[in-house]
mmCIF file of all heavy atoms in Angstrom:
data_model
loop_
_atom_site.group_PDB
_atom_site.id
_atom_site.type_symbol
_atom_site.label_atom_id
_atom_site.label_comp_id
_atom_site.label_asym_id
_atom_site.label_seq_id
_atom_site.Cartn_x
_atom_site.Cartn_y
_atom_site.Cartn_z
ATOM 1 N N VAL Q 87 -33.218 143.085 -100.846
ATOM 2 C CA VAL Q 87 -33.969 144.026 -101.655
ATOM 3 C C VAL Q 87 -34.232 143.424 -103.032
ATOM 4 O O VAL Q 87 -35.351 143.578 -103.587
ATOM 5 C CB VAL Q 87 -33.262 145.372 -101.716
ATOM 6 C CG1 VAL Q 87 -33.924 146.306 -102.759
ATOM 7 C CG2 VAL Q 87 -33.233 146.026 -100.371
ATOM 8 N N ALA Q 88 -33.245 142.745 -103.601
ATOM 9 C CA ALA Q 88 -33.493 142.088 -104.880
ATOM 10 C C ALA Q 88 -34.572 141.029 -104.759
ATOM 11 O O ALA Q 88 -35.433 140.871 -105.673
ATOM 12 C CB ALA Q 88 -32.183 141.425 -105.362
ATOM 13 N N ALA Q 89 -34.620 140.302 -103.659
ATOM 14 C CA ALA Q 89 -35.660 139.307 -103.423
ATOM 15 C C ALA Q 89 -37.032 139.973 -103.279
ATOM 16 O O ALA Q 89 -38.042 139.449 -103.787
ATOM 17 C CB ALA Q 89 -35.350 138.475 -102.177
ATOM 18 N N ILE Q 90 -37.082 141.111 -102.601
ATOM 19 C CA ILE Q 90 -38.333 141.851 -102.450
ATOM 20 C C ILE Q 90 -38.880 142.264 -103.814
ATOM 21 O O ILE Q 90 -40.065 142.082 -104.122
ATOM 22 C CB ILE Q 90 -38.161 143.061 -101.535
ATOM 23 C CG1 ILE Q 90 -37.834 142.618 -100.083
ATOM 24 C CG2 ILE Q 90 -39.414 143.945 -101.543
ATOM 25 C CD1 ILE Q 90 -37.323 143.739 -99.217
ATOM 26 N N ILE Q 91 -37.992 142.858 -104.643
ATOM 27 C CA ILE Q 91 -38.404 143.311 -105.959
ATOM 28 C C ILE Q 91 -38.937 142.141 -106.790
ATOM 29 O O ILE Q 91 -39.992 142.230 -107.446
ATOM 30 C CB ILE Q 91 -37.221 143.986 -106.679
ATOM 31 C CG1 ILE Q 91 -36.890 145.307 -105.979
ATOM 32 C CG2 ILE Q 91 -37.557 144.224 -108.148
ATOM 33 C CD1 ILE Q 91 -35.591 145.932 -106.460
ATOM 34 N N ALA Q 92 -38.212 141.031 -106.790
ATOM 35 C CA ALA Q 92 -38.632 139.861 -107.574
ATOM 36 C C ALA Q 92 -39.976 139.333 -107.081
ATOM 37 O O ALA Q 92 -40.840 138.978 -107.894
ATOM 38 C CB ALA Q 92 -37.579 138.762 -107.481
ATOM 39 N N ALA Q 93 -40.180 139.292 -105.773
ATOM 40 C CA ALA Q 93 -41.437 138.798 -105.223
ATOM 41 C C ALA Q 93 -42.595 139.726 -105.586
ATOM 42 O O ALA Q 93 -43.710 139.285 -105.892
ATOM 43 C CB ALA Q 93 -41.319 138.652 -103.723
ATOM 44 N N MET Q 94 -42.349 141.040 -105.551
ATOM 45 C CA MET Q 94 -43.401 141.998 -105.907
ATOM 46 C C MET Q 94 -43.763 141.873 -107.358
ATOM 47 O O MET Q 94 -44.962 141.896 -107.754
ATOM 48 C CB MET Q 94 -42.955 143.427 -105.578
ATOM 49 C CG MET Q 94 -42.799 143.664 -104.048
ATOM 50 S SD MET Q 94 -42.367 145.385 -103.656
ATOM 51 C CE MET Q 94 -43.888 146.220 -104.086
ATOM 52 N N GLN Q 95 -42.774 141.728 -108.227
ATOM 53 C CA GLN Q 95 -43.040 141.556 -109.651
ATOM 54 C C GLN Q 95 -43.829 140.297 -109.917
ATOM 55 O O GLN Q 95 -44.755 140.275 -110.714
ATOM 56 C CB GLN Q 95 -41.712 141.547 -110.412
ATOM 57 C CG GLN Q 95 -40.984 142.869 -110.421
ATOM 58 C CD GLN Q 95 -39.552 142.774 -110.942
ATOM 59 O OE1 GLN Q 95 -38.918 141.699 -110.818
ATOM 60 N NE2 GLN Q 95 -39.040 143.839 -111.508
ATOM 61 N N ALA Q 96 -43.457 139.233 -109.218
ATOM 62 C CA ALA Q 96 -44.124 137.941 -109.435
ATOM 63 C C ALA Q 96 -45.579 137.903 -108.935
ATOM 64 O O ALA Q 96 -46.420 137.189 -109.465
ATOM 65 C CB ALA Q 96 -43.329 136.827 -108.762
ATOM 66 N N ASN Q 97 -45.852 138.725 -107.919
ATOM 67 C CA ASN Q 97 -47.178 138.680 -107.269
ATOM 68 C C ASN Q 97 -48.067 139.855 -107.611
ATOM 69 O O ASN Q 97 -49.158 139.989 -107.065
ATOM 70 C CB ASN Q 97 -47.001 138.567 -105.769
ATOM 71 C CG ASN Q 97 -46.458 137.210 -105.330
ATOM 72 O OD1 ASN Q 97 -47.207 136.233 -105.282
ATOM 73 N ND2 ASN Q 97 -45.193 137.147 -105.005
ATOM 74 N N GLY Q 98 -47.598 140.744 -108.494
ATOM 75 C CA GLY Q 98 -48.422 141.864 -108.882
ATOM 76 C C GLY Q 98 -48.574 142.943 -107.812
ATOM 77 O O GLY Q 98 -49.541 143.725 -107.868
ATOM 78 N N ALA Q 99 -47.683 142.965 -106.839
ATOM 79 C CA ALA Q 99 -47.696 144.009 -105.827
ATOM 80 C C ALA Q 99 -46.862 145.172 -106.357
ATOM 81 O O ALA Q 99 -45.664 144.992 -106.645
ATOM 82 C CB ALA Q 99 -47.141 143.496 -104.513
ATOM 83 N N GLU Q 100 -47.424 146.344 -106.478
ATOM 84 C CA GLU Q 100 -46.737 147.420 -107.185
ATOM 85 C C GLU Q 100 -46.120 148.484 -106.284
ATOM 86 O O GLU Q 100 -45.062 149.019 -106.592
ATOM 87 C CB GLU Q 100 -47.692 148.118 -108.141
ATOM 88 C CG GLU Q 100 -48.169 147.196 -109.272
ATOM 89 C CD GLU Q 100 -48.966 147.976 -110.328
ATOM 90 O OE1 GLU Q 100 -49.287 149.170 -110.062
ATOM 91 O OE2 GLU Q 100 -49.261 147.383 -111.369
ATOM 92 N N ARG Q 101 -46.780 148.819 -105.170
ATOM 93 C CA ARG Q 101 -46.316 149.996 -104.382
ATOM 94 C C ARG Q 101 -45.188 149.618 -103.449
ATOM 95 O O ARG Q 101 -45.329 148.804 -102.547
ATOM 96 C CB ARG Q 101 -47.498 150.543 -103.559
ATOM 97 C CG ARG Q 101 -47.173 151.884 -102.909
ATOM 98 C CD ARG Q 101 -47.060 152.986 -103.944
ATOM 99 N NE ARG Q 101 -46.819 154.304 -103.316
ATOM 100 C CZ ARG Q 101 -45.703 154.994 -103.454
ATOM 101 N NH1 ARG Q 101 -44.715 154.486 -104.170
ATOM 102 N NH2 ARG Q 101 -45.560 156.161 -102.895
ATOM 103 N N PHE Q 102 -44.029 150.247 -103.655
ATOM 104 C CA PHE Q 102 -42.832 149.956 -102.866
ATOM 105 C C PHE Q 102 -42.217 151.271 -102.423
ATOM 106 O O PHE Q 102 -41.884 152.134 -103.238
ATOM 107 C CB PHE Q 102 -41.820 149.160 -103.706
ATOM 108 C CG PHE Q 102 -40.609 148.700 -102.966
ATOM 109 C CD1 PHE Q 102 -40.625 148.431 -101.612
ATOM 110 C CD2 PHE Q 102 -39.402 148.500 -103.647
ATOM 111 C CE1 PHE Q 102 -39.490 147.967 -100.937
ATOM 112 C CE2 PHE Q 102 -38.258 148.051 -102.970
ATOM 113 C CZ PHE Q 102 -38.318 147.791 -101.628
ATOM 114 N N VAL Q 103 -42.073 151.437 -101.090
ATOM 115 C CA VAL Q 103 -41.390 152.612 -100.550
ATOM 116 C C VAL Q 103 -40.123 152.135 -99.850
ATOM 117 O O VAL Q 103 -40.173 151.279 -98.976
ATOM 118 C CB VAL Q 103 -42.314 153.389 -99.575
ATOM 119 C CG1 VAL Q 103 -41.572 154.610 -99.028
ATOM 120 C CG2 VAL Q 103 -43.608 153.828 -100.283
ATOM 121 N N TYR Q 104 -39.021 152.740 -100.228
ATOM 122 C CA TYR Q 104 -37.697 152.306 -99.764
ATOM 123 C C TYR Q 104 -37.000 153.438 -99.058
ATOM 124 O O TYR Q 104 -36.839 154.527 -99.633
ATOM 125 C CB TYR Q 104 -36.866 151.830 -100.955
ATOM 126 C CG TYR Q 104 -35.425 151.482 -100.635
ATOM 127 C CD1 TYR Q 104 -35.109 150.210 -100.153
ATOM 128 C CD2 TYR Q 104 -34.394 152.403 -100.801
ATOM 129 C CE1 TYR Q 104 -33.796 149.875 -99.871
ATOM 130 C CE2 TYR Q 104 -33.082 152.076 -100.526
ATOM 131 C CZ TYR Q 104 -32.791 150.806 -100.059
ATOM 132 O OH TYR Q 104 -31.491 150.472 -99.768
ATOM 133 N N GLN Q 105 -36.572 153.226 -97.833
ATOM 134 C CA GLN Q 105 -35.828 154.235 -97.083
ATOM 135 C C GLN Q 105 -34.347 154.123 -97.404
ATOM 136 O O GLN Q 105 -33.691 153.128 -97.082
ATOM 137 C CB GLN Q 105 -36.043 154.097 -95.585
ATOM 138 C CG GLN Q 105 -35.299 155.141 -94.774
ATOM 139 C CD GLN Q 105 -35.405 154.945 -93.285
ATOM 140 O OE1 GLN Q 105 -36.370 154.391 -92.788
ATOM 141 N NE2 GLN Q 105 -34.384 155.387 -92.560
ATOM 142 N N SER Q 106 -33.819 155.165 -97.990
ATOM 143 C CA SER Q 106 -32.392 155.243 -98.307
ATOM 144 C C SER Q 106 -31.800 156.319 -97.382
ATOM 145 O O SER Q 106 -32.065 156.283 -96.167
ATOM 146 C CB SER Q 106 -32.208 155.609 -99.790
ATOM 147 O OG SER Q 106 -30.854 155.647 -100.164
ATOM 148 N N ALA Q 107 -30.978 157.199 -97.884
ATOM 149 C CA ALA Q 107 -30.370 158.248 -97.037
ATOM 150 C C ALA Q 107 -29.945 159.407 -97.928
ATOM 151 O O ALA Q 107 -29.545 159.231 -99.080
ATOM 152 C CB ALA Q 107 -29.176 157.696 -96.301
ATOM 153 N N LEU Q 108 -30.049 160.615 -97.376
ATOM 154 C CA LEU Q 108 -29.585 161.798 -98.105
ATOM 155 C C LEU Q 108 -28.077 161.699 -98.289
ATOM 156 O O LEU Q 108 -27.330 161.476 -97.364
ATOM 157 C CB LEU Q 108 -29.926 163.059 -97.282
ATOM 158 C CG LEU Q 108 -29.574 164.407 -97.939
ATOM 159 C CD1 LEU Q 108 -30.328 164.572 -99.244
ATOM 160 C CD2 LEU Q 108 -29.892 165.530 -96.991
ATOM 161 N N GLY Q 109 -27.659 161.868 -99.543
ATOM 162 C CA GLY Q 109 -26.252 161.696 -99.876
ATOM 163 C C GLY Q 109 -26.001 160.481 -100.741
ATOM 164 O O GLY Q 109 -24.898 160.326 -101.289
ATOM 165 N N VAL Q 110 -27.008 159.621 -100.894
ATOM 166 C CA VAL Q 110 -26.862 158.418 -101.723
ATOM 167 C C VAL Q 110 -27.114 158.795 -103.180
ATOM 168 O O VAL Q 110 -28.002 159.596 -103.512
ATOM 169 C CB VAL Q 110 -27.836 157.331 -101.280
ATOM 170 C CG1 VAL Q 110 -27.847 156.163 -102.286
ATOM 171 C CG2 VAL Q 110 -27.494 156.826 -99.892
ATOM 172 N N GLY Q 111 -26.344 158.191 -104.076
ATOM 173 C CA GLY Q 111 -26.601 158.353 -105.500
ATOM 174 C C GLY Q 111 -26.521 159.794 -105.955
ATOM 175 O O GLY Q 111 -25.584 160.540 -105.607
ATOM 176 N N ASP Q 112 -27.537 160.208 -106.733
ATOM 177 C CA ASP Q 112 -27.510 161.557 -107.289
ATOM 178 C C ASP Q 112 -27.875 162.628 -106.265
ATOM 179 O O ASP Q 112 -27.971 163.813 -106.617
ATOM 180 C CB ASP Q 112 -28.412 161.654 -108.521
ATOM 181 C CG ASP Q 112 -29.859 161.280 -108.232
ATOM 182 O OD1 ASP Q 112 -30.244 161.161 -107.053
ATOM 183 O OD2 ASP Q 112 -30.630 161.137 -109.198
ATOM 184 N N SER Q 113 -28.096 162.225 -104.997
ATOM 185 C CA SER Q 113 -28.296 163.237 -103.946
ATOM 186 C C SER Q 113 -27.021 163.557 -103.228
ATOM 187 O O SER Q 113 -27.058 164.323 -102.252
ATOM 188 C CB SER Q 113 -29.370 162.754 -102.944
ATOM 189 O OG SER Q 113 -28.850 161.721 -102.126
ATOM 190 N N ARG Q 114 -25.904 163.052 -103.695
ATOM 191 C CA ARG Q 114 -24.629 163.318 -103.046
ATOM 192 C C ARG Q 114 -24.345 164.806 -102.975
ATOM 193 O O ARG Q 114 -23.868 165.330 -101.947
ATOM 194 C CB ARG Q 114 -23.486 162.572 -103.769
ATOM 195 C CG ARG Q 114 -22.094 162.825 -103.210
ATOM 196 C CD ARG Q 114 -21.931 162.234 -101.828
ATOM 197 N NE ARG Q 114 -20.605 162.458 -101.290
ATOM 198 C CZ ARG Q 114 -19.569 161.624 -101.449
ATOM 199 N NH1 ARG Q 114 -19.718 160.516 -102.161
ATOM 200 N NH2 ARG Q 114 -18.423 161.878 -100.943
ATOM 201 N N GLY Q 115 -24.644 165.530 -104.050
ATOM 202 C CA GLY Q 115 -24.420 166.960 -104.084
ATOM 203 C C GLY Q 115 -25.233 167.715 -103.048
ATOM 204 O O GLY Q 115 -24.825 168.754 -102.562
ATOM 205 N N ALA Q 116 -26.401 167.163 -102.663
ATOM 206 C CA ALA Q 116 -27.269 167.812 -101.671
ATOM 207 C C ALA Q 116 -26.656 167.758 -100.288
ATOM 208 O O ALA Q 116 -27.071 168.491 -99.381
ATOM 209 C CB ALA Q 116 -28.645 167.167 -101.675
ATOM 210 N N ALA Q 117 -25.707 166.856 -100.095
ATOM 211 C CA ALA Q 117 -25.084 166.679 -98.763
ATOM 212 C C ALA Q 117 -23.735 167.384 -98.647
ATOM 213 O O ALA Q 117 -23.110 167.342 -97.619
ATOM 214 C CB ALA Q 117 -24.896 165.186 -98.483
ATOM 215 N N ARG Q 118 -23.308 168.040 -99.680
ATOM 216 C CA ARG Q 118 -22.002 168.727 -99.644
ATOM 217 C C ARG Q 118 -22.083 169.928 -98.719
ATOM 218 O O ARG Q 118 -23.088 170.586 -98.589
ATOM 219 C CB ARG Q 118 -21.588 169.169 -101.034
ATOM 220 C CG ARG Q 118 -21.175 167.985 -101.916
ATOM 221 C CD ARG Q 118 -20.762 168.445 -103.285
ATOM 222 N NE ARG Q 118 -20.383 167.298 -104.113
ATOM 223 C CZ ARG Q 118 -20.168 167.380 -105.397
ATOM 224 N NH1 ARG Q 118 -20.278 168.517 -106.050
ATOM 225 N NH2 ARG Q 118 -19.831 166.290 -106.078
ATOM 226 N N GLY Q 119 -20.960 170.242 -98.080
ATOM 227 C CA GLY Q 119 -20.853 171.391 -97.228
ATOM 228 C C GLY Q 119 -21.403 171.160 -95.835
ATOM 229 O O GLY Q 119 -21.486 172.087 -95.054
#
Side-chain angles (χ1 to χ4, degrees):
V87 171
I90 293 166
I91 292 170
M94 293 183 70
Q95 292 168 331
N97 289 283
E100 295 188 351
R101 189 70 177 114
F102 185 29
V103 180
Y104 174 85
Q105 181 185 332
S106 183
L108 183 60
V110 171
D112 59 11
S113 72
R114 178 67 180 270
R118 287 179 180 170

